[in-house]
Every structure is written in C-alpha cells, then in structure tokens.
Amino acid sequence: MAHFEKAHSLEEWLDQRLAIKTLRRVLAEEYWIPKNINFLWAMGMVLAFTFGILVVSGIFLLMYYQPNVDLAFDSVNYTIMQEVEFGWLWRHMHAVAASVVFLIIYIHMFTGIYYGSYKKGRELIWISGMLLFVSFSAEAFSGYMLPWGQMSYWAGMVITNLFSLGSLELNGLVEWIRGDYVPGQAFLTRFFMLHVFLLPLVIMALIGLHFGTLRIPHVNNQDGEEIDFDEEAKKYLAGKTKEAKVIRFANDFLSKDMFVVSIFLIFYFYLVFWHFDFAMDPINFDPADGLKTPPHIYPEWYFLWSYEILRPFPKDPGLVAFGFAQVIFFLLPFLDKSPNVAPASRRGIFAVWFWVLLLDMIVLTVMGKLPPQGIYSTIGLVAAVVFIALWILLPFITKKEKAV
C-alpha cells in the first residue's frame, strides 16, 4: 500500500490519492501549444462547449419528453413549448446547438485539411475526429426522430431503407433495425435510447480519445513548422517566454479559447432568440402520418451534401457513391502522398483541390434541399461526380507535389 502522510489541505489530501497535481501538470500546465496559430484553433473548445450545452438542455427536455408514438409530438410541441416555464427556451437552445455544432465541425474539419493537420504522426488525431463526426451525425439523426413529426417519420423511413442495400433487398435487416415493418413504437424507443444514453457515452469517450491523440504529436501550427516542443518548453520554463515558440494550454491558450467561445455565444444566442426557425423544419410541426408522404423529403442541412451524392444515381450506384462519401474522409491521411505539412496556399495544385472540394460540397448542400428536377438534377449529378473524381485524383496530385 502507498504511504500517506497527514494532509494540510483538501488539495493535498486529493493529490495523495488521485495525483491531481500531476494530472494538472500533464494535461494543462505543461501541455504546450504553438504560438503561431489563429482563432480557428479554438474550434475544438467551441465544439466541447456546444456539446455541453446540448447535454444540459437535453437533460431539461428529457424531464418532460414522452417516448411514445401517441404522446411524443404533443409532449414537445404543447407540453414543453407552451406549458413548461421556459420550456421553449430549452428547446430552442437544443435545436440551435444541434445545428450549429455541425457548422463548427465542418470549420474544424476543413481547417485541418487546409493546414495538413492529418499528416504523418497525426493520423489518429484525424481518424478520432472523423469518428466523432460520425457519432455526432448518428446522435443528430436519432434526435431528429424524437419530435415524431412528419419529417421525423419519413426521414426515418428513408434512411433506414438504405440498410436494405439496394438490389440485395435485405428487408429483414431494415425490419430488425425498426423493430417493425414501418417506423413505430419500437423504432421510437430504440432511437430514444440511442440519443439519450448510448451515443452520448460514445461521444464522450471519443472526445477523451481525441484529446489523448493530441498529447504526443501536439497541435499543428499555421506554418506547418516542425517544433521541438521539449526544447521550447525548457525556454518557456526558464522565463524566456518571448523567445519560446510555445505557450501553456492552461491558462495561456485557454484564455484565448474562451475569448473565441464568448464571441461564439453571442452568435449562438442571437440565433436562439431571433432565428431559431432555421433549425426547425416547418413540416415537422405536423404530427407523423404514415399514410401521407411529404412532397419533398430531405434531411437537415448538415446531411444534404451526402444525400445529394446518393440521389442523382440509380439505386445501386447511388448507394456505392453514398458509402464512398461516408468513408473517404477517413482515408485522407493515406491518400495525401505529399510529405509537405504546410498550408494549402503553399502547396500548389493541392490548394486548387481544396477550394474546389469546399465549393463542390456547398453546391451539393444547396442542391440537396431543392427538388430533383430539371437543371437542379443535372447540377446535383455533376457535383456528385466532381466530388468522387476529386478524391480519386488526390493521390496523383499530391504524389507529384514539390517539397516546400
């Protein structure tokens, strides 16, 4: 058994048993961050803060929500929105955070692509981040089912139909996922469990993994400079803070993070109070009706780009293209053959590839919301083909890239 001495403070008592000083030193005070970074590096903290808002607001909503096909719609739209004091506020906060979190995820993701933060040594940072993206997507989809409105029901019908895998017609798998032939009580109960229990646990575990993967390779910087963190840390600890190329995570970098978080919260609460409607589809204010199909079924905006990759093709090729789009971002560290860790602006044709990809995904998102007819259908097909072609070309583009 370890030797324990009489503690003279609560901190000392806890330190003897939990080594809190060591944890604080390893995770915060002597976790070093490069100086040459910008506000985009704060998006990770913004995401963590937004996830916290989702958890807290979700707990309050959970107190009154009824996971029953006969009661779910009224529990959200009448009980929470009209009868519970400030229930409308918690629902607006939850809905807006669920939408805005994907905006921040996409900014964070494309920042990583632009600055090459997935390169050799940082592959697990990227892969764990993409696992978080998938988990947040599953969490958002399961939450979208819970109000049990028209779009909840029919989005659930369409998405679960994907698991039949086209011509393979694995209808038994679809029925197993739903718990019935069509979305019903079993379906709602299962997605309720996923949303409030299982997926939040997965997300919290992945957040821990994501932060853990940063510990050894450290955070990238906006110049792609190779920094000797041990040497620079010695300079900082010796009092040469101006000469050192690094700062402490706490409280140096953390204070900058919190400034960006405060700016984000102004934007967030502006949406919560004045423009919350963008996060709530008007069709979903009609109760679920399995006998009345909406004229145009579409997912939330953050899924539209992948939905539009599925939609322009026939059934089987569309499923292959959709699967390609879900997996391909995971492979980015291995498809980029260039040794350069530098901003895209210094990487020649890769910069063109990056901006075309970003623009193409914006086009796919816009087209995904529009009905698939006329010119919209043609533009969506071209954008989907361009997306696939860009990823096929990436290894060839980067293999010929000159060192910078």
Side-chain angles (χ1 to χ4, degrees):
M1 181 174 174
H3 177 66
F4 294 93
E5 298 178 355
K6 184 179 179 180
H8 298 287
S9 66
L10 177 61
E11 182 184 31
E12 191 175 332
W13 188 87
L14 289 171
D15 186 54
Q16 289 182 22
R17 289 155 178 80
L18 299 175
I20 59 173
K21 290 182 180 178
T22 302
L23 283 172
R24 188 169 61 216
R25 178 174 56 80
V26 171
L27 298 177
E29 293 175 354
E30 293 186 16
Y31 175 53
W32 304 101
I33 305 291
K35 282 183 179 178
N36 58 333
I37 55 178
N38 56 43
F39 75 96
L40 292 171
W41 268 255
M43 292 302 110
M45 184 59 68
V46 172
L47 280 171
F49 208 88
T50 309
F51 179 64
I53 292 174
L54 285 165
V55 170
V56 173
S57 59
I59 289 170
F60 279 95
L61 293 174
L62 187 57
M63 294 177 185
Y64 295 96
Y65 176 75
Q66 299 288 332
N68 183 289
V69 291
D70 297 320
L71 302 174
F73 183 83
D74 287 347
S75 71
V76 172
N77 292 285
Y78 293 103
T79 306
I80 291 173
M81 291 295 288
Q82 298 181 33
E83 296 180 1
V84 176
E85 193 167 6
F86 293 106
W88 61 269
L89 176 60
W90 290 113
R91 189 189 180 194
H92 289 180
M93 288 179 64
H94 199 74
V96 170
S99 191
V100 169
V101 75
F102 280 93
L103 175 63
I104 306 302
I105 286 173
Y106 285 129
I107 293 172
H108 196 49
M109 189 165 78
F110 276 93
T111 298
I113 297 174
Y114 184 86
Y115 288 103
S117 299
Y118 52 85
K119 290 287 193 168
K120 187 177 180 180
R122 295 190 172 99
E123 298 94 338
L124 282 177
I125 299 175
W126 179 261
I127 291 170
S128 62
M130 288 308 304
L131 286 171
L132 269 170
F133 172 70
V134 171
S135 300
F136 267 108
S137 298
E139 177 75 347
F141 174 71
S142 61
Y144 195 62
M145 301 299 102
L146 302 189
W148 209 239
Q150 268 290 71
M151 199 55 79
S152 298
Y153 181 92
W154 287 100
M157 178 77 82
V158 170
I159 296 302
T160 51
N161 271 336
L162 294 177
F163 289 92
S164 67
L165 299 181
S167 296
L168 293 178
E169 295 188 359
L170 301 180
N171 297 320
L173 176 61
V174 176
E175 291 167 15
W176 179 77
I177 292 170
R178 292 175 181 165
D180 205 337
Y181 294 107
V182 295
Q185 182 58 53
F187 177 87
L188 181 61
T189 305
R190 292 175 184 189
F191 278 85
F192 174 73
M193 180 278 296
L194 288 172
H195 188 72
V196 304
F197 176 69
L198 186 58
L199 288 172
L201 287 179
V202 171
I203 288 171
M204 285 186 276
L206 287 172
I207 288 173
L209 174 64
H210 193 56
F211 279 119
T213 59
L214 286 164
R215 189 64 183 85
I216 294 176
H218 290 273
V219 176
N220 191 19
N221 58 85
Q222 61 184 9
D223 296 322
E225 180 182 0
E226 189 70 37
I227 295 175
D228 186 334
F229 282 89
D230 293 332
E231 190 62 35
E232 296 303 321
K234 289 177 183 176
K235 291 182 186 177
Y236 188 98
L237 294 171
K240 301 177 182 178
T241 55
K242 290 186 178 179
E243 296 177 23
K245 296 180 180 180
V246 296
I247 56 176
R248 296 179 192 269
F249 175 76
N251 289 316
D252 300 342
F253 179 69
L254 196 57
S255 63
K256 297 181 178 182
D257 263 1
M258 295 315 296
F259 174 76
V260 178
V261 168
S262 65
I263 299 299
F264 163 75
L265 287 176
I266 295 172
F267 165 71
Y268 168 73
F269 280 107
Y270 168 75
L271 294 176
V272 166
F273 288 109
W274 285 285
H275 288 289
F276 55 86
D277 52 326
F278 88 96
M280 298 181 182
D281 195 305
I283 298 175
N284 223 29
F285 284 93
D286 294 328
D289 185 350
L291 300 177
K292 183 181 177 183
T293 309
H296 178 38
I297 301 172
Y298 50 83
E300 287 292 281
W301 72 267
Y302 36 83
F303 296 141
L304 287 172
W305 68 271
S306 55
Y307 176 63
E308 185 60 19
I309 290 173
L310 165 73
R311 198 170 62 169
F313 299 103
K315 183 162 63 173
D316 289 344
L319 282 170
V320 172
F322 181 77
F324 176 90
Q326 308 316 303
V327 172
I328 198 64
F329 278 99
F330 281 91
L331 303 179
L332 177 59
F334 313 103
L335 293 175
D336 187 342
K337 303 296 184 180
S338 169
N340 294 323
V341 182
S345 58
R346 289 166 45 196
R347 291 183 57 190
I349 197 168
F350 179 81
V352 177
W353 182 90
F354 172 85
W355 291 112
V356 171
L357 176 67
L358 180 58
L359 180 62
D360 187 61
M361 288 185 66
I362 292 172
V363 171
L364 286 168
T365 299
V366 173
M367 291 300 109
K369 188 68 181 279
L370 299 172
Q373 55 192 29
I375 189 66
Y376 301 145
S377 182
T378 304
I379 294 173
L381 175 61
V382 171
V385 171
V386 168
F387 178 88
I388 295 168
L390 283 170
W391 286 99
I392 293 172
L393 289 172
L394 179 61
F396 303 101
I397 290 171
T398 52
K399 195 170 185 178
K400 295 181 179 180
E401 188 177 309
K402 296 179 180 179
V404 296

